[in-house]
Amino acid sequence: MSGKADPPSAGEGTTPRARLDRGRGALGPALELVHTGRAPTRAVLTAELGVTRATAGAVAAELEALGLIRVDARPGAAAGSQGRPSHRLAVADDGPVALAAQVHADGFRAALVGLGGRIVATAAGRETVDADPAKVLGSVVEAGAGLLRETGLRCVGAGLAVPSAVAEPEGLALNPLHLAWPAGAPVRRIFAECVHAASITGPAFAGNDVNLAALAEHRHGAGRGARDLLCVATGHRGVGGALVLDGRLHTGSSGLALEVGHLTVNPEGRPCHCGSRGCLDVEADPLAFLTAAQREPGPVVSLLHQAMDLIRNHYDDPSIRTATETLIDRLGLGLAGLVNILNPDRIILGGLHRTLLDADPERLRAVVADRSLWGQSGGVPILACTLDHNSLVGAAELAWQPVLDDPLGALA
């Protein structure tokens, strides 16, 4: 779409098919507007696309015919509104889904995710993630295939989130250290083979879990409306970061940008697997918290949930409070360095870092402001991620992207 409005003569006198043919290039942009909640009505869609009302109506009707959105033809006018009320637009509740998969140090989760980032069904599994990626990826795909059989929904493709930098264009997991997988494992190819072996239709993709969490939050959660969004999160092990610039995930020249876990925040701290010492990766993750709190990690519940439970339910314990403050200070130091370099307009925190923010937001914000040049000049909003399973939703976004780019071509 050029963004220019249709000429006045291209309006009501043409046939619906002619209007649709003119607006065919708008199908993808229109679907993305509804998908991200930026076009709740046909009037907003018309304005955002820069087309006539008739063309917008034809585009919305075609997306509805494809089973992607729902057009409410009998909307009620808002109180005090003037003029004819506009039709409401929403994603179709019974429309197709993407298979999303996530693998972490304590197991995996599969989900079916519809447009709008809506999780339709999930299945979790716990198993030892051994040195053969094909075994756990086969298990997570099998779980996803089971969800598809149970629901009978159409699948547009599959996306995988892994706790590793994923090099492009090959889709190699370069540092899946907490999974005990070999460095450079071809996870996208293995995942695609498992997906196709399970007779699941559509393309298969793979990406870093924090990158995908940031993408999901930018489209559907706490990052909505941010231009330069920084996301920092810790899951079950390690620390990851991601950056969304002007609505696009910034992954660098080969998918490896924003390895924030290897910022030094404690020069005399623990040795890191990267060869340095005191990195955010080993100073501000769940294991670091349990160590600081002098708690022995248990074998049943994940490290992440053990750490979050202690902060949420035992914060009055002096050892827990001290450990929390220690990790907040280390995290704040890392965030301040990133603010100095990147100058984001918003920071969102996930995993254990979200829990640290909830525990003492003023302390974290004060550390960032004190240690960053731009923080001192006005401050950067620091917010908690809001989506449940945001890495899964982000993995689904990978599978949905071809449909958002070309709905007719992708669903043909």
Side-chain angles (χ1 to χ4, degrees):
M1 291 296 297
S2 66
K4 297 180 180 179
D6 290 348
S9 59
E12 308 300 334
T14 54
T15 66
R17 175 52 57 185
R19 289 195 294 270
L20 177 59
D21 288 342
R22 250 198 333 274
R24 192 174 298 278
L27 285 175
L31 181 59
E32 183 167 346
L33 287 167
V34 179
H35 171 61
T36 56
R38 290 178 290 152
T41 68
R42 202 170 68 182
V44 176
L45 183 69
T46 301
E48 289 288 335
L49 293 178
V51 298
T52 65
R53 193 165 58 208
T55 297
V59 167
E62 179 71 4
L63 291 175
E64 185 173 39
L66 290 171
L68 296 171
I69 73 168
R70 177 171 46 82
V71 180
D72 185 349
R74 299 185 304 276
S81 64
Q82 296 181 353
R84 186 172 62 184
S86 179
H87 293 175
R88 288 192 292 263
L89 306 177
V91 298
D93 292 337
D94 56 351
V97 294
L99 168 60
Q102 181 179 13
V103 178
H104 51 74
D106 294 299
F108 65 78
R109 181 176 292 273
L112 304 182
V113 184
L115 284 167
R118 181 175 56 91
I119 296 179
V120 176
T122 62
R126 286 180 56 84
E127 65 175 59
T128 301
V129 182
D130 63 23
D132 183 2
K135 290 184 178 179
V136 68
L137 294 182
S139 296
V140 72
V141 170
E142 182 181 348
L147 294 175
L148 287 169
R149 287 192 298 270
E150 291 171 12
T151 61
L153 293 171
R154 179 181 181 182
C155 184
V156 300
L160 169 68
V162 292
S164 167
V166 177
E168 296 297 341
E170 298 89 354
L172 309 179
L174 291 191
N175 59 341
L177 298 168
H178 303 303
L179 299 180
W181 289 354
V187 292
R188 187 170 62 207
R189 176 179 61 78
I190 296 171
F191 181 61
E193 290 172 352
C194 293
V195 167
H196 297 149
S199 299
I200 297 173
T201 58
F205 305 89
N208 170 262
D209 54 1
V210 179
N211 277 350
L212 298 181
L215 180 62
E217 292 284 346
H218 186 266
R219 290 183 174 180
H220 308 292
R224 250 188 205 164
R227 197 186 79 170
D228 299 328
L229 174 69
L230 172 65
C231 175
V232 177
T234 177
H236 297 263
R237 292 292 304 276
V239 175
L243 186 65
V244 179
L245 298 176
D246 288 326
R248 297 286 182 178
L249 192 62
H250 176 71
T251 57
S253 61
S254 56
L256 308 180
L258 270 289
E259 279 291 309
V260 305
H262 300 292
L263 288 171
T264 299
V265 295
N266 183 13
E268 305 302 320
R270 300 176 181 83
C272 182
H273 48 77
C274 73
S276 186
R277 181 179 289 275
C279 295
L280 202 61
D281 211 49
V282 293
E283 296 287 340
D285 78 340
L287 182 59
F289 176 82
L290 295 173
T291 301
Q294 301 179 335
R295 295 297 198 276
E296 192 69 27
V300 178
V301 180
S302 72
L303 298 178
L304 174 62
H305 287 97
Q306 290 178 60
M308 291 194 303
D309 177 71
L310 288 172
I311 297 173
R312 290 170 176 169
N313 299 318
H314 304 279
Y315 194 62
D316 290 338
D317 185 318
S319 64
I320 302 303
R321 183 182 292 270
T322 299
T324 302
E325 292 174 348
T326 297
L327 260 72
I328 285 175
D329 291 347
R330 293 172 184 168
L331 173 62
L333 184 60
L335 293 178
L338 292 168
V339 167
N340 286 335
I341 296 169
L342 302 172
N343 188 28
D345 61 0
R346 192 179 311 174
I347 298 171
I348 57 173
L349 302 178
L352 179 62
H353 295 163
R354 172 181 174 175
T355 307
L356 294 174
L357 175 65
D358 291 342
D360 196 342
E362 295 309 314
R363 184 183 185 100
L364 179 59
R365 291 176 178 130
V367 173
V368 175
D370 183 58
R371 295 297 192 111
S372 62
L373 176 63
W374 311 124
Q376 293 175 4
S377 67
V380 182
I382 303 176
L383 307 174
C385 291
T386 57
L387 299 179
D388 292 332
H389 308 303
N390 51 18
S391 292
L392 273 174
V393 174
E397 291 295 317
L398 294 180
W400 274 114
Q401 193 60 52
V403 181
L404 297 174
D405 291 338
D406 181 8
L408 281 174
L411 298 179

